[in-house]
Amino acid sequence: MTTTNDALLRTDSNFTPLEAAGRDHLWMHFSRMAPFQSKPMRVIDHAEGMYLWDDRGQRILDGLAGLFVVQAGHGRHELAEAAAEQAKKLAYFPVWGHANRPVIELAERLATYAPGSLNRVFFTSGGGEAVESAWKVAKQYFKLTGKPQKHKVISRMAAYHGTTQGALAITGLPAMKQAFEPLTPGGFRVPNTDFYRATDEWNGDERAFGLWAANRIEEAILFEGADTVAAVVLEPVQNSGGCYTPPPGYFARVREICDKYDVLLVSDEVICAFGRHGTMFACENFGYEPDIITCAKGMSSGYGPIGAMIANERVMEPFLHGTDFFPHGYTFGGHPVSAAVSLANLDLFEREGLNQRVLDNEGAFGATLSKLLDLDIVGDVRGDGYFWAIELVKDKGSKTTFDAAERELLIKQFLPGALMENGLYCRPDDRANPVIQLAPPLIAGQAEFDEMEQILRATLLEAARLV
Ligand code: PLP
């Protein structure tokens, strides 16, 4: 995410001591730092339910669940207490040759939720490490099973899969990679499923478009040589670019292609798992069974950092004999406190029926956001579950998008700050075409959908006057 600091700055230039310390010492992620040298940053102080408060007392609706993370909502004391109890009992011990109760129980629980034979859980500290682990295990799996050349990965244009050098090589965003090239070799890209822009060419036939898009994966495998391709890495709904949903038939065809060429299918569910689409794992919503799932974020609702690479029995099998093992791991992978918090979070999911809540309300959420289509600047509203994007356009009829200067003004300079000032935290983004993304905590209901729509409407009307 390119945070748009110009717009996030305070209007006054007086720093509190905390803001001055932030200016002098805090290096923010994905953020331009220069503007913070002259104007204070916003300090988020506390949060409760659907709302954040900054340290100057402004209340802000959290329309992004932090960063697609806080599924259960903010301020859940039962999760804080689960963390405290585990920290008092066993705060830390690595899963390097020893286990502890919460990691075993969480591994078993995730295996129960995951489809088919995805029973083997390798814990990480977050999503990028899970993707990195998936690529590494795919390479080693093929080395151990007599296909040592299989090492390449195919993913989609504009998709984001993390920042470590392997995960970044899977990421399909050139601007995010250029500063760090050369990256891990072996990453190849195919088209994504942006049907808003493809619909005219395909006469509105989404299934035909989906088959075409899936067949590009087969083409890439053949171009590269099937004996060199280890994995295809796809999100169920692609985040970057703005919630590209899979066309009907897309994943069935992808699964067929992966089986035909002996390529592992990795479902990167770092955003999509844990209720974002009303199920524990979103591959279930879209009717496919991957070989590996990568997940993180919502597993603990953010009350502890944790991620996982969940592999099926086939991938695990060569590691169950003799002396071969996966020489890979992280000090904080499977942290007992994060595991205990995740278990409490999943209990809360069951107790409060959060998945069903998403299934019951996703239509209302989409319908409420779709009211914005009456604005000239809104070209498309798309998504699934509690994961939606609003694509902004310069001309709705021709779907003409904004040029670089207009994007800088809209997405970098104006919208993030204006939305926050108007009381909504969400994500204006232009890694592909300009979009605003919404992914609220799963406790959101009609009142919050309406509040989001109203703030977006007022802010987009202002935005439209600028460009
Ligand atoms: N994969 C996907 C699909 C993601 O959306 C993200 C982060 O947003 C990642 C991987 C990287 O996760 P993390 O930031 O936890 O390393």
Side-chain angles (χ1 to χ4, degrees):
M1 168 156 63
T2 309
T3 300
T4 51
N5 315 52
D6 293 349
L8 293 174
L9 294 171
R10 298 281 183 189
T11 45
D12 66 71
S13 302
N14 301 318
F15 285 80
T16 65
L18 188 65
E19 289 160 354
R23 173 198 61 204
D24 295 343
H25 303 295
L26 179 64
W27 195 338
M28 288 192 212
H29 296 206
F30 279 111
S31 300
R32 294 177 186 170
M33 290 305 291
F36 290 134
Q37 305 314 300
S38 53
K39 292 272 181 72
M41 56 191 63
R42 188 186 296 270
V43 178
I44 303 300
D45 184 67
H46 63 282
E48 186 67 39
M50 289 288 306
Y51 290 92
L52 314 162
W53 279 263
D54 72 17
D55 68 345
R56 298 189 188 191
Q58 192 189 342
R59 190 182 87 146
I60 301 150
L61 178 63
D62 184 357
L64 203 67
L67 197 54
F68 316 97
V69 168
V70 190
Q71 318 295 67
H74 296 279
R76 303 300 300 242
H77 288 204
E78 58 269 62
L79 302 187
E81 276 151 23
E85 285 311 308
Q86 183 58 43
K88 281 187 263 179
K89 191 172 173 198
L90 175 71
Y92 177 73
F93 207 76
V95 285
W96 301 41
H98 300 88
N100 57 73
R101 176 174 284 277
V103 283
I104 294 178
E105 289 182 357
L106 182 58
E108 184 187 32
R109 185 99 171 244
L110 295 178
T112 312
Y113 293 139
S117 76
L118 282 99
N119 293 327
R120 305 292 183 158
V121 183
F122 185 95
F123 285 111
T124 64
S125 330
E129 288 180 1
V131 172
E132 197 76 28
S133 303
W135 191 2
K136 287 179 76 173
V137 86
K139 284 177 164 177
Q140 194 184 358
Y141 167 80
F142 284 115
K143 287 193 188 350
L144 292 174
T145 54
K147 297 185 176 177
Q149 285 193 73
K150 274 185 168 292
H151 68 282
K152 295 174 186 168
V153 176
I154 292 165
S155 58
R156 294 184 292 199
M157 290 172 192
Y160 177 78
H161 295 284
T163 51
T164 56
Q165 302 229 12
L168 195 54
I170 300 175
T171 289
L173 293 158
M176 207 171 271
K177 309 202 280 192
Q178 276 151 9
F180 313 109
E181 284 171 336
L183 299 169
T184 309
F188 296 88
R189 235 64 57 206
V190 293
N192 55 44
T193 60
D194 178 1
F195 190 56
Y196 170 61
R197 297 208 164 265
T199 186
D200 294 342
E201 192 184 334
W202 290 89
N203 293 322
D205 187 343
E206 195 174 3
R207 180 174 287 274
F209 165 68
L211 286 181
W212 172 85
N215 286 335
R216 302 288 66 74
I217 294 174
E218 179 172 44
E219 189 176 64
I221 292 171
L222 293 172
F223 279 166
E224 286 308 312
D227 56 351
T228 70
V229 180
V232 170
V233 178
L234 307 172
E235 290 164 273
V237 174
Q238 183 175 320
N239 171 45
S240 185
C243 298
Y244 298 140
T245 53
Y250 178 79
F251 272 113
R253 178 70 187 125
V254 171
R255 181 70 265 182
E256 211 173 75
I257 293 165
C258 287
D259 290 342
K260 182 170 175 192
Y261 299 103
D262 198 14
V263 169
L264 298 178
L265 175 56
V266 179
S267 188
D268 184 358
E269 306 208 8
V270 169
I271 288 177
C272 294
F274 306 112
R276 190 55 50 208
H277 299 278
T279 51
M280 285 303 183
F281 293 110
C283 51
E284 197 184 305
N285 301 63
F286 301 105
Y288 65 98
E289 192 180 310
D291 299 290
I292 295 176
I293 291 175
T294 50
C295 56
K297 296 191 187 270
M299 194 188 309
S300 68
S301 281
Y303 287 76
I306 190 162
M309 184 265 292
I310 309 174
N312 65 10
E313 292 294 347
R314 172 194 168 191
V315 172
M316 185 79 219
E317 207 282 330
F319 297 96
L320 294 175
H321 313 281
T323 55
D324 289 322
F325 69 105
F326 187 31
H328 177 71
Y330 303 98
T331 297
F332 288 143
H335 195 288
V337 173
S338 296
V341 170
S342 299
L343 285 165
N345 180 51
L346 297 171
D347 287 344
L348 188 155
F349 262 71
E350 307 275 7
R351 211 169 46 245
E352 299 189 0
L354 287 186
N355 285 335
Q356 191 56 46
R357 183 179 176 79
V358 171
L359 296 175
D360 291 344
N361 288 297
E362 60 180 340
F365 188 23
T368 306
L369 293 176
S370 294
K371 290 185 191 169
L372 296 166
L373 282 166
D374 66 355
L375 301 179
D376 288 340
I377 196 172
V378 175
D380 194 28
V381 175
R382 56 178 177 259
D384 183 89
Y386 273 23
F387 189 34
W388 287 78
I390 296 164
E391 181 160 340
L392 306 181
V393 288
K394 192 166 166 176
D395 180 75
K396 206 150 131 152
S398 61
K399 300 183 182 173
T400 306
T401 193
F402 293 100
D403 64 27
E406 291 162 337
R407 286 169 184 223
E408 172 69 22
L409 183 62
L410 266 182
I411 300 290
K412 304 279 191 282
Q413 308 277 343
F414 177 72
L415 279 171
L419 285 163
M420 286 292 265
E421 284 305 318
N422 292 340
L424 175 63
Y425 167 68
C426 57
R427 186 188 218 184
D429 184 60
D430 68 342
R431 287 175 293 181
N433 290 313
V435 291
I436 297 180
Q437 286 185 285
L438 286 310
L442 311 185
I443 56 171
Q446 191 59 50
E448 289 82 20
F449 303 155
D450 288 338
E451 191 176 339
M452 285 182 230
E453 193 269 336
Q454 283 151 20
I455 296 174
L456 285 164
R457 176 174 294 279
T459 314
L460 287 173
L461 281 169
E462 277 181 73
R465 285 194 281 273
L466 294 176
V467 283

